[in-house]
Amino acid sequence: MASADAQFNNRLLEIILADSAEGVVVVDWRGNVRQVNQALCFQLGHHRQELIGRNVRRFIDRTANPEDILDRMVDGLWFGGFWQGVLGLLRKDGQGVTLRVRCNAVLPEQGRVRFYSGQLTRSLPVDSHDDPESHPSSGLDPLTGLANLVLFEDRLQQAVTQARRKGVSVGIMFLDLDRFKLINDSLGHSMGDRMLIEVAKRLSKCLRTSDSVARVGADEFALLLTDMDDGAGPVRNAGVVARKVYEILHLPLELQGQEVEVSAAMGITLFPQDGDSVGEIMKHAATALAHAKKKGRNSYQFFSAEMTETARRRFDLENRLRGAIERDEMLLYYQPQVDLANGRVIGAEALVRWKPKGEKLISPADFIPVAEESGLIVPIGEWVLETAIRQLAAWRDMGLPPIRVGVNLSAVQFKRQDLAGLVERLIKKYQVDPTHLDLEITESAIMEDVKRAVEILNRINDLGVKLSIDDFGTGYSSLSQLRQFPFKTLKIDRSFVRDIHQNSGDAAIVSAIIAMAHSLNQTVVVEGLETPDQLTILRNLRCNEMQGFLFSAAVPADQLTTMLREGKTLEG
Ligand code: C2E
Ligand code: MG
Ligand code: MG
């Protein structure tokens, strides 16, 4: 319990520090930086990793401070445990920045001060350096505590500079609350203020630590989005944030016992896609916002029509995906897996399909990423797991030779739900042999949080359920890293097999993977086998099982039942 409390407190501290508009630093007794928050990284234009471990002296601008500034600081800390003043520091781009600094010695635990904490805020240049009086911190909106327009532009400039160097994108989103004036006029200014404060809080929740939010006008807010390139790419990511903002604003808000609806128009631009300077993307974001407002409440608009369309298609897909299970639109297909020793079917991988009424089948490659981003993968994954286990029980009841059924798990399911508990419950419910269930997981899903993954996978393994590593070779983990996980099977990704008959490099890699997997007592399954040539090679390399169009694509359950009844084998 105590450790849960401590964990919670640590987490709280992290959140407070991450959200703080003030720069915060923890320095050890040698003057080496041990911790910094995002605000300080922004102020100095450095990445976290570039600050941690470095000595603070490196960041002090010798030309901008009195010569004895460090001595005075050390004296203050040594004798009084405290120093405050104004310090000229060097940003990464070589420019000077003047910050108001307050330092404290962290109270010693065992008789010796080991850490110092510092809070740094932007400061207008002043003459005197040591200065016991604190000025109000500039750059902040007094009502909401968010950054104001000046600070926002400053941060945007820094983000753009960094993005230009790294060749990545930055997004900005302008928001204008719908009908704010009406609320202000009808419910009074203090209610208007409360609404703004609440909106500020909600927007802050939508952001990742490197992003920031500002109040840039009476009822206008701006979001700065960095790191837009990971995952689905900048347009999709901006769309996802727009979606989150939309949802969080829409939560009920009570003012004076009255429920008020909050909504906003949003205009979105991306650097460098929509302009190559801060001025240009700010201008275009305002244009996009104006367009969105014209279209009516609650709408958003990218600066370019094409981007708006891309994002809209994605939302549309997400909306249709919501409720697809209830509408009975999900199907589970099974792709047979064949034992290369005797050509018999010994397993099948369950692969989900989506068939909206009156439309063609939609491939999981198109909707699983959307399901993952929106969290819909949790109910969909549960449905898949239950359907597959129910099918396993049905095949057993038909008296067919037992086969193993593989089910794919997504990283999101790992994070959001008690997977081991779910698996256990379903196995009990359908009374199936746990060794006939095989859960497929990709490297990337477990590498995100190794400790947690090991724990969950061990619990699942203890149930007797098999675990497979899927798409092996596409991630960056090595087999030796994977040794700590209880995998029984390794599935070689299809990309290695495609050209294996003409690419001796691929053959060598596959050969090495198989040898290593065998030394760990793992069974090796090759995916995507399409030709007899590939089959011959994989057989010679001592691969254990195959799955691919050469034998069969994924088929509905009843077709697999027929194959099992007829005892179809690889060699026909
Ligand atoms: P995966 O788990 O690697 O599944 C294998 C994919 O390769 C399947 O595509 C399968 O139809 C395809 N395939 C099999 N043999 C061949 C072949 O000989 N040639 C070619 N060109 N392709 C072959 P599918 O069904 O489109 O699934 C794509 C991915 O979607 C899966 O890759 C898996 O990552 C994901 N997925 C599918 N069903 C689920 C599910 O229920 N849950 C989750 N989380 N992901 C799923
Ligand atoms: Mg798979
Ligand atoms: Mg695979």
Side-chain angles (χ1 to χ4, degrees), residues 184-213:
N184 230 354
D185 292 347
S186 58
L187 299 178
H189 284 257
S190 68
M191 288 302 126
D193 283 357
R194 279 193 39 198
M195 180 163 169
L196 292 173
I197 292 169
E198 178 62 23
V199 167
K201 270 197 213 142
R202 291 183 181 187
L203 290 177
S204 303
K205 279 196 201 138
C206 294
L207 302 177
R208 297 158 302 175
T209 44
S210 55
D211 302 339
S212 70
V213 54

Side-chain angles (χ1 to χ4, degrees), residues 57 60 64-87 101 103 116 127-132:
R57 287 171 197 275
I60 291 177
N65 296 296
E67 232 178 289
D68 60 350
I69 187 94
L70 273 177
D71 295 340
R72 277 198 257 166
M73 198 168 161
V74 168
D75 277 354
L77 285 169
W78 188 254
F79 294 107
F82 177 72
W83 180 81
Q84 91 176 350
V86 173
L87 205 56
V101 181
C103 298
Y116 299 92
D127 298 330
S128 124
H129 273 266
D130 295 68
D131 169 14

Side-chain angles (χ1 to χ4, degrees), residues 168-170 229 234-235 269-276 281 303 307:
V168 297
S169 300
V170 170
D229 292 76
V235 179
T269 43
L270 292 170
F271 166 90
Q273 288 87 336
D274 294 323
D276 62 2
I281 53 173
F303 180 62
M307 285 191 196

Side-chain angles (χ1 to χ4, degrees), residues 13-33:
L13 261 178
E14 265 173 35
I15 291 169
I16 293 167
L17 288 184
D19 284 350
S20 165
E22 249 180 330
V24 177
V25 61
V26 176
V27 171
D28 64 22
W29 57 276
R30 290 196 191 88
N32 291 334
V33 175

Side-chain angles (χ1 to χ4, degrees), residues 335 349 352-353 364 384 408 470-471 494 527-528 530 548-549:
Q335 184 175 35
E349 176 176 5
V352 68
R353 301 286 180 265
V384 167
N408 292 286
D470 200 359
D471 302 343
R494 167 150 72 81
E527 295 189 274
E530 295 181 354
F549 295 170

